[in-house]
Amino acid sequence: MSDLRTVVFPGLTDRVIIITGAGQGIGRVLAKAFALAGARVVIADVNEAKGLAVRNEITRSGGQALAIATDVADEASIKSMVATVEMQYGRIDVLINNAAIFSTLEMRPFDQIPLEEWERVLRVNLTGPFLCARAVLPAMRKAQWGRIINIASGAVRLGRPNYLHYIATKAALAGMSLSMARELGPDNITVNAILPGATFTEIERKTVSPEQKQRIISMQCIPRAETPEDLVGAALFLASEASAFVTGQSLNLDGGVTGS
Ligand SMILES: NC(=O)c1ccc[n+]([C@@H]2O[C@H](COP(=O)([O-])OP(=O)(O)OC[C@H]3O[C@@H](n4cnc5c(N)ncnc54)[C@H](O)[C@@H]3O)[C@@H](O)[C@H]2O)c1
């Protein structure tokens, strides 16, 4: 049973949190938030320069962070990142599978998606989280404590045309979270998915026109644009002791576009 103090105060101080794809966008904001909460953050992005820039932002403001260039499509790269984290910090408490091929994706009807592109999206967005979860498992099992948070998408509840590979990976990620939660519960490792709505980051996206943005906002109960900061509270909760009995869940964080 949890100590009441850890329920009231999430206590992320010195927890080691790996966030994939934290070089920009949602991952970058999550990295800064976890560092503010006192955690040691590992920025595992394939874009080394962006990862280092986020690390510098964090360390300049007094936080603890490590940037390790990592390609989540490459098992050897993931294993080497995990080995570096264990060498540096001696533990891994939380994995946030956030990296994805997303803002760079071209929208097109599914019958026009080249097979190579389909396979690449599956490799990064779905096989990547599977490989990352597998790689951190020994450390979490040894500690008999762990949190895996998969960033899926609210779009899987709605369906969205012209993005079939992306949506397929995010729906699979939500399903994977529940099944992985069933396997890992006995080891005191929780696995949950966060389903953000359309979230507006510092990265411009050609795929959402100003009219579409307004239409999305009008579908929400809270009628304003969603930002990465809107995901922070739930991510901190799911990473902490306060969520000890929450597992296998897919949490809609979309301002109320979708019900449960
Ligand atoms: N922004 C949204 O509206 C929204 C909505 C729902 C879900 N999401 C999900 O949230 C997550 C973050 O979204 P975002 O808007 O910040 O995306 P983004 O495209 O801006 O950032 C993705 C990050 O992942 C990194 N990355 C890509 N391939 C990688 C690889 N092979 N290995 C390691 N890193 C890699 C990129 O370098 C980049 O830093 C994604 O999983 C996305 O699918 C986003």
Side-chain angles (χ1 to χ4, degrees):
M1 211 177 75
S2 299
D3 180 325
L4 194 53
R5 283 165 302 184
T6 65
V7 177
V8 178
F9 301 102
L12 290 162
T13 309
D14 289 337
R15 288 266 189 218
V16 175
I17 323 269
I18 296 172
I19 309 178
T20 65
Q24 68 180 42
I26 289 173
R28 169 174 164 260
V29 171
L30 292 179
K32 294 204 294 182
F34 276 97
L36 264 179
R40 293 176 283 185
V41 180
V42 179
I43 299 142
D45 201 295
V46 73
N47 187 323
E48 188 170 18
K50 288 200 164 192
L52 286 170
V54 176
R55 185 210 55 190
N56 292 342
E57 275 187 89
I58 291 173
T59 51
R60 265 200 308 271
S61 51
Q64 307 177 76
L66 198 63
I68 306 174
T70 311
D71 179 358
V72 301
D74 174 3
E75 189 170 23
S77 170
I78 295 167
K79 281 185 171 169
S80 147
M81 177 270 291
V82 166
T84 306
V85 176
E86 290 198 281
M87 208 165 56
Q88 178 84 15
Y89 294 134
R91 59 194 281 177
I92 298 171
D93 299 291
V94 182
L95 166 68
I96 304 186
N97 277 315
N98 166 80
I101 301 184
F102 173 62
S103 59
T104 52
L105 260 188
E106 301 264 339
M107 294 189 80
R108 48 181 145 230
F110 81 86
D111 56 331
Q112 288 167 32
I113 295 175
L115 180 58
E116 210 173 78
E117 184 180 300
W118 171 272
E119 286 175 339
R120 179 73 193 151
V121 171
L122 261 66
R123 178 83 193 176
V124 173
N125 295 15
L126 185 59
T127 307
F130 157 71
L131 292 173
C132 288
R134 219 159 65 154
V136 299
L137 199 51
M140 290 184 180
R141 274 211 167 116
K142 193 163 151 231
Q144 286 291 289
W145 200 97
R147 302 280 184 266
I148 297 173
I149 303 170
N150 294 316
I151 308 296
S153 169
V156 307
R157 303 262 201 233
L158 298 167
R160 191 168 177 204
N162 303 324
Y163 244 172
L164 198 69
H165 40 10
Y166 175 78
I167 303 293
T169 62
K170 294 298 178 176
L173 207 47
M176 193 165 94
S177 302
L178 177 53
S179 293
M180 211 181 261
R182 292 214 182 274
E183 288 192 40
L184 299 184
D187 289 308
N188 199 30
I189 299 167
T190 67
V191 188
N192 292 287
I194 285 177
L195 279 57
T199 306
F200 296 88
T201 73
E202 79 281 10
I203 306 298
E204 285 292 323
R205 260 187 293 143
K206 299 182 293 239
T207 49
V208 181
S209 65
E211 298 73 38
Q212 281 170 322
K213 183 174 178 178
Q214 281 318 310
R215 196 162 43 79
I216 291 165
I217 291 172
S218 72
M219 290 160 69
Q220 298 169 186
C221 299
I222 302 167
R224 63 163 174 79
E226 180 166 358
T227 68
E229 287 74 10
D230 291 316
L231 308 174
V232 164
L236 291 174
F237 168 68
L238 290 175
S240 74
E241 185 59 24
S243 63
F245 212 55
V246 180
T247 195
Q249 302 303 303
S250 286
L251 190 58
N252 298 327
L253 295 180
D254 59 7
V257 173
T258 49
S260 56

